[in-house]
Amino acid sequence: KIALSRVQEARSQVQFRQSERWPHIDLNGSVNQDEMLIDPGFYGSSKKLERVKQSQYNLSTSFSYELDLWGKLKDQEQA
């Protein structure tokens, strides 16, 4: 049982090392919503307070890839 566990651990480490050779892509997103009361009278209008809603949407991505010029990743994978 212990030997099987060690074999599985070794396999997962090999898979992890192999995954380092592939590009990494990250995607992040967020949504912010605000609600405010403004006084239009401040701007010369005779209206009462107005409720204003504002939404902001953000989406960002990143891409990274390590070139294995000197075989560092390959050597780690084989270790």
Side-chain angles (χ1 to χ4, degrees), residues 6-22:
R6 288 186 180 160
V7 169
Q8 289 174 341
E9 182 180 351
R11 284 182 183 161
S12 66
Q13 287 178 359
V14 168
Q15 288 174 348
F16 176 76
R17 295 289 183 202
Q18 288 174 341
S19 72
E20 291 180 336
R21 298 182 74 182
W22 293 97

Side-chain angles (χ1 to χ4, degrees), residues 20-67:
E20 291 180 336
R21 298 182 74 182
W22 293 97
H24 298 275
I25 300 172
D26 292 318
L27 177 66
N28 296 304
S30 66
V31 175
N32 294 320
Q33 294 182 330
D34 294 323
E35 190 172 321
M36 302 176 275
L37 289 175
I38 61 168
D39 183 3
F42 182 76
Y43 300 104
S45 174
S46 61
K47 291 183 177 180
K48 295 184 179 180
L49 292 177
E50 290 183 19
R51 188 176 304 266
V52 176
K53 293 182 181 181
Q54 181 180 15
S55 299
Q56 183 178 16
Y57 304 92
N58 295 310
L59 183 65
S60 64
T61 61
S62 67
F63 176 85
S64 63
Y65 183 72
E66 183 176 349
L67 295 176

